[in-house]
Amino acid sequence: MIIFLQNLIFFSPIINLIFLILFNFLFIFDKRNIFKSFIVNCLGIFFSMIFFNLLKYTHLKFINLLSLRNCNFFLINLFFLSAFFTILISYFWNKKKFICKEEFYLLVIFSIIGGYISVISNNFISMFIGIELFSISFLGLISFFSRTNTDILKFSLKYFIISSLSAIFLLLGICIFYFCFGTLTFNFETFLCSLKNSYFFIKFLGIISIIFALFLKISIFPFHFWLLELYKKSSFNLLIYYNNAVKIVYFLILLKLLSFIVKKDAFLIQNILEFLSIFSIIYGSYLAIFQNNIKKLLAYLSISSLGYLSTVLILFSPTDSISTIAIKLYFLESFVSSIILFSSFSILEYIYSSRNNVLSNKILFYKGLFWKQPILSTSIIIAFLSNSGIPFTLGFISKFYFFLISIKKQFFTVSLCMCISSIINIYIYLNLILTIFKNNFFESKEKFLFNINKKLFFFKFFVLIFSIFLIFLGIFPQYLI
């Protein structure tokens, strides 16, 4: 009876999400109501996050498949919040569509279950099941509006092939590990053995297969080829989910594996990761200079920021507080700035579509935006300044800790690449800010200044609060450190 109660407590976040799925099916089969479905899903995700935080000091586990030990509770909370804000910001966008709407929430909940299972996994089997459930749900989210855009359907088929290829490499790596160690459990005593022992080449092949499979999922250079199409063809609401939830899930899995697989003996693996991080940082920033499409520009900058993330994978140590703080600051800054940017662009998309206009993704289309939408423009400018690492923003503190940890661990080449990338990023973001302030002589200001949509005023105010949050934490970082 005690074991049953412990398991019930351990699975309380998942049980809550399963009940949420049942409620969604009831809404779909009985009487569709987008507002009720929206409220129920927001509350359900919020309560799942509360249940998860109540488990923080329990150290419970389910057999050898799932365990909360060594979990990063901060990042998992950000994962839940990413799903919450994706649903929140997608409400008006979802409400306007003439196709099935409640299924969107259903796919988000399935992806939360898959992501949650994969990050608390203590076994390769449960990790693989969680990753595949998460990937399939994300594929569903990508192709959700394929009926209104055939390009999205074509890309979803490409993503399905990429996801299948990644699953093949992941299964190959898992099979190799089982051949070498005779277990699929994340056993620290087993994996801490040196790579200089027997089966060196086979073990190395298994590690590389798993790393490449997860890098393909997260789109780190040179596996970034599908990311540009995702940014270009997906809605801004889905990009909020990718930029936060997807990155967090695969990063936590990589961190869990590499924290005890990649040791001092694995110099070759460390050199490969360092090479990929350097090229991601430089490649993304350099190609972003030549973009005239806002989505493609943000995609290349995302590749550059993933280079910072892969650097932490090499340098992370559970006993090193600096690397832990760097991870926390990176994901928090990415979370807040992505919500500001993609929410603002999503609101602009909603405003223009309500006037039967098409929102262009060309950068010149946003010329003079400040004089048309001052609240949204102010929020976007603050997010740009934070992403570029300007002082008195959270982005500056985040980049400072990345420089600190790379110099402390004597990764001077990575530090130099970070400096070059930061200079390029500042140039790009300042050009974007200048474009926002430039006068657009083709449209009159009066057409936009006094046309206030009351429904969207709350969302504009909400985005502005988030941008103030970026500055507040940049001035007073001691509340996080």
Side-chain angles (χ1 to χ4, degrees):
M1 185 65 181
I2 295 174
I3 295 174
F4 173 76
L5 289 174
Q6 286 179 344
N7 289 335
L8 190 66
I9 294 168
F10 180 82
F11 283 105
S12 56
I14 298 176
I15 292 170
N16 183 68
L17 291 171
I18 290 171
F19 275 112
L20 203 54
I21 289 171
L22 295 176
F23 274 114
N24 277 293
F25 276 120
L26 285 175
F27 282 125
I28 292 168
F29 294 138
D30 183 23
K31 188 177 180 181
R32 291 178 180 270
N33 189 314
I34 185 67
F35 180 72
K36 287 182 181 177
S37 182
F38 164 74
I39 295 296
V40 168
N41 281 282
C42 285
L43 290 174
I45 294 171
F46 181 72
F47 281 116
S48 291
M49 189 171 67
I50 291 174
F51 292 148
F52 169 71
N53 283 283
L54 292 175
L55 299 174
K56 188 171 185 178
Y57 303 103
T58 59
H59 299 296
L60 294 173
K61 66 176 185 177
F62 178 71
I63 317 176
N64 284 323
L65 295 177
L66 305 172
S67 175
L68 292 173
R69 187 169 295 174
N70 300 319
C71 281
N72 193 317
F73 278 78
F74 179 81
L75 292 188
I76 297 175
N77 277 315
L78 279 185
F79 167 68
F80 278 110
L81 286 173
S82 302
F84 176 83
F85 282 112
T86 300
I87 288 177
L88 180 68
I89 295 164
S90 301
Y91 174 69
F92 283 110
W93 167 81
N94 204 9
K95 191 177 179 181
K96 286 184 65 178
K97 302 298 175 182
F98 297 103
I99 56 178
C100 303
K101 305 166 186 177
E102 287 77 5
E103 283 81 350
F104 177 82
Y105 302 132
L106 202 59
L107 290 167
V108 172
I109 302 305
F110 272 117
S111 69
I112 295 172
I113 294 173
Y116 180 71
I117 289 172
S118 59
V119 296
I120 66 168
S121 293
N122 197 40
N123 188 287
F124 276 112
I125 295 299
S126 55
M127 182 194 75
F128 179 77
I129 292 169
I131 287 173
E132 289 310 301
L133 178 58
F134 184 71
S135 297
I136 292 169
S137 302
F138 187 66
L139 172 63
L141 288 170
I142 291 171
S143 57
F144 186 68
F145 290 105
S146 59
R147 283 174 58 185
T148 57
N149 190 340
T150 54
D151 287 338
I152 297 175
L153 181 59
K154 291 176 184 177
F155 172 70
S156 62
L157 292 173
K158 290 180 185 177
Y159 182 79
F160 175 75
I161 295 169
I162 293 165
S163 185
S164 302
L165 184 64
S166 174
I168 291 168
F169 277 104
L170 188 58
L171 279 175
L172 175 64
I174 292 170
C175 291
I176 290 171
F177 264 92
Y178 185 73
F179 170 76
C180 293
F181 300 107
T183 180
L184 292 174
T185 305
F186 297 154
N187 190 331
F188 281 78
E189 283 118 22
T190 301
F191 290 113
L192 281 176
C193 61
S194 171
L195 289 176
K196 290 180 179 178
N197 295 340
S198 58
Y199 303 120
F200 169 82
F201 179 75
I202 299 176
K203 292 174 187 176
F204 176 77
L205 182 62
I207 294 169
I208 291 299
S209 296
I210 293 173
I211 291 173
F212 281 8
L214 294 174
F215 275 14
L216 190 58
K217 295 272 191 186
I218 204 173
S219 71
I220 290 178
F221 177 89
F223 310 104
H224 63 281
F225 49 87
W226 61 270
L227 183 64
L228 296 176
E229 285 195 75
L230 174 69
Y231 267 76
K232 192 175 178 181
K233 296 176 181 178
S234 299
S235 69
F236 288 109
N237 305 288
L238 182 61
L239 294 179
I240 294 173
Y241 195 69
Y242 165 77
N243 215 51
N244 295 294
V246 175
K247 287 183 180 179
I248 287 170
V249 167
Y250 293 126
F251 174 77
L252 285 175
I253 295 168
L254 280 165
L255 197 64
K256 182 180 287 188
L257 294 174
L258 294 176
S259 61
F260 56 88
I261 290 175
V262 179
K263 293 296 172 183
K264 292 181 180 179
D265 297 318
F267 290 116
L268 184 57
I269 296 174
Q270 289 188 356
N271 289 333
I272 291 171
L273 293 176
E274 185 180 359
F275 170 81
L276 294 180
S277 65
I278 288 170
F279 270 83
S280 290
I281 292 168
I282 297 299
Y283 175 83
S285 296
Y286 176 72
L287 287 183
I289 298 173
F290 306 103
Q291 303 307 314
N292 59 3
N293 184 295
I294 190 68
K295 281 189 171 182
K296 290 181 73 174
L297 184 143
L298 292 174
Y300 279 115
L301 291 174
S302 175
I303 293 168
S304 179
S305 69
L306 283 170
Y308 286 80
L309 206 57
S310 54
T311 304
V312 178
L313 291 173
I314 311 168
L315 305 176
F316 177 76
S317 173
T319 57
D320 185 9
S321 59
I322 296 177
S323 58
T324 306
I325 293 169
I327 291 170
K328 183 190 293 186
L329 291 174
Y330 170 88
F331 276 107
L332 183 61
E333 196 278 334
S334 175
F335 172 75
V336 177
S337 62
S338 63
I339 284 180
I340 293 169
L341 291 175
F342 296 130
S343 300
S344 300
F345 292 133
S346 182
I347 291 168
L348 289 171
E349 192 175 46
Y350 180 87
I351 292 171
Y352 277 77
S353 62
S354 65
R355 295 171 182 163
N356 297 321
N357 294 324
V358 179
L359 180 67
S360 173
N361 291 317
K362 298 291 183 183
I363 292 173
L364 286 177
F365 187 81
Y366 297 92
K367 192 175 181 181
L369 181 66
F370 181 81
W371 311 110
K372 307 167 191 175
Q373 299 289 340
I375 296 176
L376 288 180
S377 298
T378 304
S379 303
I380 290 170
I381 289 166
I382 292 171
F384 282 162
L385 292 173
S386 180
N387 283 345
S388 61
I390 297 296
F392 304 112
T393 61
L394 183 58
F396 172 77
I397 306 298
S398 173
K399 287 194 175 183
F400 171 78
Y401 270 90
F402 273 105
F403 282 116
L404 188 63
I405 188 175
S406 59
I407 292 170
K408 182 182 176 182
K409 297 294 179 68
Q410 298 182 353
F411 277 68
F412 299 116
T413 308
V414 175
S415 302
L416 179 62
C417 291
M418 286 181 181
C419 287
I420 296 169
S421 172
S422 296
I423 294 168
I424 295 171
N425 289 355
I426 289 171
Y427 168 77
I428 292 167
Y429 283 119
L430 288 180
N431 266 343
L432 288 172
I433 292 168
L434 187 63
T435 302
I436 289 172
F437 276 107
K438 280 182 180 178
N439 287 326
N440 191 338
F441 298 103
F442 297 102
E443 293 180 358
S444 62
K445 300 176 186 178
E446 291 77 18
K447 183 178 178 181
F448 297 91
L449 282 175
F450 303 104
N451 193 358
I452 299 173
N453 191 322
K454 293 180 181 178
K455 291 180 181 178
L456 296 175
F457 181 76
F458 166 76
F459 282 95
K460 291 181 182 180
F461 182 74
F462 158 80
V463 170
L464 186 62
I465 292 295
F466 264 72
S467 59
I468 294 170
F469 184 70
L470 278 179
I471 297 175
F472 177 79
L473 290 179
I475 299 172
F476 304 104
Q478 61 268 25
Y479 291 105
L480 287 173
I481 300 170

